[in-house]
Amino acid sequence: MVSDFAIGIHDLSFSTTEFVLPHAILADHNGTEINKYHVGLGQRSMSVPAADEDIVTMGATAAEPIIARHGTDHVRTVVFATESSIDQAKSAGVYVHSLLGLPSATRVVELKQACYGATAALQFALGLVRRDPVQRVLVIASDISRYDLDSPGEATQGAAAVAMLVGSDPALLRLEEPSGLFTADVMDFWRPNYRDAALVDGQESVSAYLRAVRGTWGDYTDQGGRPLDEFAAFCYHQPYAKMAYKAHRHLLEHCGHPTGEAEVARAVGRTTAYSAVIGNSYTASVYLGLAALLDEADDMTGRPIGFMSYGSGSVAEFFGGTLAPGYREHLRTTAHRGVLDRRQPVDYATYRELYERSFPADGGDHPTPPQTTGPFRLAGLRGHQRVYERRAPVSARSSAEAGDLRRLPHEGHRPAPATS
Ligand code: CAA
């Protein structure tokens, strides 16, 4: 069914972490030839959360500029998609709702299906807006990707949040029907409740992803979707940047199209600009790809973009969208680049120390060291409850508080900057 009004992404904003680990430092530590990371995975660096950052602070930071620009009128639903959830019962979105001061007349829910969750959120949002075109839905995808230290997955960690305002007559992207769907019960990547880091069968996960590319495309075609050559670019889920190239080459081959490097790079190259320096942001990643494409590409008004969202386990969806007239006036390119530029590089020891941090489960009072300079912080865990703070802008803080920002309580210093 095709609706008689356009629905899609009206605004999009992303955030990432305070710190960043260059892959050159990881390679130095574990003896890996750096081109395996730079060329083989297509990764230059990965975002590393500060002790007082998590999926809530990143999600609120991503969403705040959207609320500042559009207000809360007509936002009656917040869908928070994540696979690095902080609570088995309460939605991380409720904390964001509170930090952003959203009205009580809002429904808030958390969604999970590995890296596919944000696409499910987007599809739910479309249904809500179709039912009542005046309503807008705030979709937040926020994840911290975490694998065991010294495992092959370690180099594919990262963290980011993407916030999207979904509504009718969207300023950025008009989403289209049909969708191509694919589900297969496979153990390629999963995280049992008792583990902080994911378990993964790396090579099987790549094969499962590629099977899902074929599966979603087959269903998309069966449902009457566009021919492949109508798409100007493709946003794939990016566990690492090279996976987008691999996936698109696979799709071209599957469809009997030429698979030259230039053709593949033309279709996906610009979508990898942010994930190549942020790393895997799990369910945010495909929309981080969209942000990169919008910020990097020349005017693509009216051009169809293909999306392939893959969540291990596995559920995947292929769908299209077209860029709305005038979309470039609504982009946040400068802010997005600023989010990357403000990250502080850390050395390996600091990365490891941050990785190994965890809250005791004793119900005590466990404040976190103030490390992030962002607008929201996780102040600590008290009586088993996460405590969040909205911070005053840096210019409004006292000099004593500003001094605290540079100090780790246990050592008296902010993490050491990376030297290479
Ligand atoms: N110079 C250039 N390239 C090099 C190189 C060098 N010195 N050394 C290795 N390479 C290349 C390899 O040829 C290989 O390229 P291809 O993929 O084109 O074959 C690439 O670098 C990676 O090398 P390996 O496969 O040998 O690397 P690995 O054994 O360390 O595993 C990985 C790679 C499976 C992605 C691993 O990092 C991992 O398990 N990551 C986590 C899981 C993951 O990201 N899966 C992706 C699909 S699942 C998904 O998308 C969901 C999700 O978010 C998790």
Side-chain angles (χ1 to χ4, degrees), residues 159-183:
V162 174
M164 296 176 276
L165 190 63
V166 177
S168 53
D169 193 18
L172 297 182
L173 186 83
R174 298 171 171 174
L175 289 164
E176 295 180 338
E177 296 178 32
S179 276
L181 305 175
F182 182 81
T183 288

Side-chain angles (χ1 to χ4, degrees), residues 33 35-36 40 115 147 152 203 205 209 237 239-240 246 280 312:
E33 208 280 295
N35 279 334
K36 173 170 179 181
C115 306
Y147 297 93
Q203 302 307 333
S205 73
Y209 184 131
H237 167 57
Y240 48 95
K246 206 188 263 287
N280 195 353
S312 289

Side-chain angles (χ1 to χ4, degrees), residues 126-317:
L126 286 178
L128 288 169
V129 176
R130 175 150 306 141
R131 195 172 73 176
D132 177 4
V134 172
Q135 289 193 30
R136 286 173 169 177
V137 179
L138 181 62
V139 170
I140 300 172
S142 184
D143 263 319
I144 296 170
S145 154
R146 198 174 152 91
Y147 297 93
D148 285 335
L149 290 171
D150 301 320
S151 73
E154 184 181 18
T156 64
Q157 296 178 125
V162 174
M164 296 176 276
L165 190 63
V166 177
S168 53
D169 193 18
L172 297 182
L173 186 83
R174 298 171 171 174
L175 289 164
E176 295 180 338
E177 296 178 32
S179 276
L181 305 175
F182 182 81
T183 288
D185 184 1
V186 53
M187 294 305 282
D188 60 330
F189 165 106
W190 69 108
R191 184 169 66 84
N193 286 345
Y194 50 82
R195 281 184 62 95
D196 287 337
L199 293 166
V200 64
D201 179 342
Q203 302 307 333
E204 171 59 16
S205 73
V206 174
S207 306
Y209 184 131
L210 296 179
R211 280 199 295 278
V213 170
R214 299 194 298 276
T216 53
W217 180 257
D219 188 48
Y220 179 73
T221 305
D222 290 348
Q223 302 297 319
R226 292 176 182 274
L228 193 66
D229 51 16
E230 278 188 15
F231 290 103
F234 293 79
C235 296
Y236 286 89
H237 167 57
Q238 293 172 34
Y240 48 95
K242 266 297 161 65
M243 189 69 219
Y245 289 77
K246 206 188 263 287
H248 193 59
R249 195 177 303 115
H250 190 76
L251 181 59
L252 290 173
E253 209 168 70
H254 177 66
C255 297
H257 287 238
T259 58
E261 279 311 302
E263 172 55 25
V264 177
R266 187 195 60 75
V268 303
R270 289 161 300 187
T271 71
T272 63
Y274 293 148
S275 68
V277 292
I278 285 178
N280 195 353
S281 56
Y282 286 162
T283 195
S285 125
V286 66
Y287 302 101
L288 203 57
L290 172 62
L293 177 69
L294 298 183
D295 290 343
E296 295 288 315
D298 294 338
D299 191 0
M300 297 176 81
T301 300
R303 310 285 305 279
I305 311 297
F307 293 83
M308 174 22 222
S309 174
Y310 175 73
S312 289
S314 66
V315 178
E317 182 160 345

